[in-house]
Amino acid sequence: MPAGFYDLLFVRGSAGAGSGFSLTPLAMFLFVLVMGGVIVDRYVRNVAELRRMNQTLDARVRARERALEESHAQLRAQQAAQAAAGERQRIMRDLHDGVGAQLVGLQSLLRREGVPSELLRAGVDAALDEMRLAVDSMQITDGDLTTALATLRYRVRPRLEAAGLALHWQVEEIAAVEGLSPHTVMQVQRILLEALTNVLKHARASAVWVRCEWSQQARCLRLEVADDGVGFDAAQARVAGQGLRSMQARATSIGAELEWRAREGGGSRVVLGWRR
């Protein structure tokens, strides 16, 4: 601005009679240099501020990530603890409902006089089977029904053969089924064991068939136990048979359906249907 006034007064105005050196171009050049320096200075300071902000933001992000990782670790630990507690509860319940019930029944028999040794032996065998099932269930993974049924087959086959029963095992290879929890697998095992025990005790059969298949399209599991024995009255058995009531209660607890039918050619069939 002083250079402009100078030029107006002394270079172009009457005071200088149109002579003299103009300072405006020089002032403009210096102004451009100053403004360039100001812009560069502000740019450098803004870049430095952005770097500091990025460093602060990175530090906050890392701190938040560490906090989230710690929260996730705590959550995983809580979930693992809850899963372990649930598994302990399940094992305790299975032991109480299975081994405990068999031992209570066996204790009741021992208090009586003149109880046949065969009945006591059957009670001991049932308690052992329940204990073995409870132990086996600890090794069953989610949905692994094939291994569970194969384990049960290994457990009961000696008893069936000793009673002169031919076991026809028709269980297809079943892939892991989503939603088929260890508890559900355990209940299916117990229902199958109870059905085979009923054949041993009451059917007077010479052969028993076990069939199990999984329909991927219908998302349905079908388990069938059939024998060639004397058969039974299903309506009367539901009223009088503790074993059948127990099987029905187990099926209901997992959302399955249990049916008793007569077998063509004689004998009986027990059919369990479970839908995913």
Side-chain angles (χ1 to χ4, degrees), residues 59-257:
R60 291 180 178 178
V61 169
R62 286 194 295 269
R64 177 61 64 179
E65 288 178 348
R66 287 193 298 269
L68 289 175
E69 289 177 358
E70 292 176 358
S71 299
H72 288 164
Q74 293 176 359
L75 181 59
R76 287 192 296 268
Q78 292 177 358
Q79 290 175 344
Q82 291 176 355
E87 186 67 12
R88 285 195 297 269
Q89 290 292 331
R90 182 184 69 83
I91 294 171
M92 290 172 60
R93 184 172 58 250
D94 291 337
L95 290 175
H96 177 271
D97 297 342
V99 181
Q102 294 295 338
L103 291 178
V104 169
L106 188 60
Q107 186 182 44
S108 177
L109 290 176
L110 291 173
R111 291 174 179 173
R112 302 177 186 177
E113 295 182 358
V115 178
S117 59
E118 292 79 7
L119 188 59
L120 294 175
R121 187 179 301 109
V124 173
D125 290 339
L128 286 174
D129 287 338
E130 290 288 350
M131 183 188 68
R132 289 163 179 164
L133 280 178
V135 173
D136 293 338
S137 69
M138 301 177 192
Q139 303 175 1
I140 297 174
T141 58
D142 289 353
D144 193 0
L145 182 62
T146 304
T147 301
L149 295 182
T151 301
L152 180 61
R153 177 189 182 187
Y154 170 77
R155 296 295 188 192
V156 301
R157 172 166 251 173
R159 290 178 58 191
L160 297 176
E161 293 178 349
L165 266 171
L167 175 61
H168 302 280
W169 192 264
Q170 301 173 6
V171 178
E172 63 180 25
E173 185 73 22
I174 301 174
V177 180
E178 182 182 358
L180 197 60
S181 64
H183 171 71
T184 303
V185 173
M186 182 69 172
Q187 297 307 317
V188 173
Q189 270 189 315
R190 289 180 180 276
I191 292 171
L192 177 56
L193 176 62
E194 188 66 40
L196 293 174
T197 303
N198 287 337
V199 173
L200 279 170
K201 290 181 177 179
H202 310 295
R204 287 181 285 172
S206 60
V208 60
W209 290 263
V210 177
R211 302 181 182 91
C212 184
E213 58 184 6
W214 166 257
S215 174
Q216 184 66 31
Q217 183 176 2
R219 305 293 293 171
C220 179
L221 175 72
R222 176 185 172 87
L223 176 65
E224 178 181 331
V225 180
D227 65 80
D228 60 352
V230 297
F232 65 96
D233 185 349
Q236 183 178 0
R238 286 190 184 94
V239 176
Q242 177 65 33
L244 296 183
R245 289 200 299 270
S246 175
M247 292 168 63
Q248 183 63 66
R250 294 185 188 281
T252 302
S253 69
I254 60 175
E257 297 180 357

